Amino acid sequence: MNKEKLKKFKKLFDSQRQSLLFNDRIVREDFGVCSDDRYDEVDQATTDCEQSMRMRLRNRESLYIKKVEEALRRIEEGTFGECDACGEDIELRRLEARPTATLCVSCKEEQERKESFHASGREHKSMGEAFSRKYA
Ligand SMILES: [Zn+2]
């Protein structure tokens, strides 16, 4: 990948990381307010519901920020744009559509074929784990 393209991706990731970190702070502040109201019985259900919604949002965001940081690391290392599985260059069109991609199209398709085989069971399990961690 040429330097201009790489710079463009780095800028994109930098700004994504900035806005994600900013969101993270807002959610944390919201959480503080939430926990103060926790023992108000009337609002209990609403608060729980809101919290779990925020939790889900937060989990998704922190997952994404990990990907963004991983991508920035790959840019530093000079491996950005290479497929994790086969080492070939990831198609530029794919990177532009999905900048955090770490697999080329054919390896991704291969992975999705394998995942769809296990998907339902595993997704269910991980949701259950997150749930029990929170309420244990
Ligand atoms: Zn590949």
Side-chain angles (χ1 to χ4, degrees):
M1 181 173 305
N2 70 44
K3 276 188 178 159
E4 280 309 301
K5 288 257 161 48
L6 214 55
K7 233 193 261 177
K8 220 178 74 184
F9 278 113
K10 189 175 186 318
K11 231 167 104 175
L12 173 77
F13 290 132
D14 274 336
S15 70
Q16 280 183 335
R17 188 169 61 166
Q18 282 303 316
S19 68
L20 282 166
L21 289 174
F22 184 67
N23 280 344
D24 192 53
R25 266 201 302 276
I26 291 175
V27 174
R28 264 178 228 277
E29 278 162 23
D30 279 358
F31 261 126
V33 176
C34 253
S35 54
D36 285 340
D37 294 336
R38 251 192 100 79
Y39 298 105
D40 185 337
E41 275 176 41
V42 183
D43 289 334
Q44 184 74 52
T46 329
T47 308
D48 278 352
C49 180
E50 276 178 17
Q51 270 194 328
S52 76
M53 237 171 69
R54 287 204 181 90
M55 256 332 221
R56 271 206 294 276
L57 188 74
R58 236 187 85 63
N59 284 343
R60 226 182 2 240
E61 278 180 350
S62 63
L63 210 73
Y64 191 71
I65 201 166
K66 270 191 203 120
K67 285 186 178 182
V68 169
E69 276 169 355
E70 169 76 12
L72 280 166
R73 193 179 57 82
R74 287 161 72 99
I75 288 175
E76 293 289 311
E77 284 177 354
T79 58
F80 179 76
E82 283 173 19
C83 173
D84 249 0
C86 68
E88 296 289 317
D89 285 348
I90 299 172
E91 297 79 355
L92 191 61
R93 240 185 314 175
R94 172 163 163 71
L95 282 173
E96 274 165 353
R98 199 184 177 82
T100 56
T102 56
L103 293 173
C104 71
V105 172
S106 48
C107 291
K108 180 71 189 169
E109 278 170 2
E110 176 68 26
Q111 190 199 50
E112 273 167 4
R113 254 200 307 278
K114 282 182 201 156
E115 273 181 3
S116 69
F117 190 69
H118 305 287
S120 53
R122 202 183 45 199
E123 208 168 81
H124 202 81
K125 188 166 169 265
S126 71
M127 269 173 72
E129 274 168 8
F131 190 85
S132 53
R133 253 203 312 280
K134 192 179 168 205
Y135 293 102

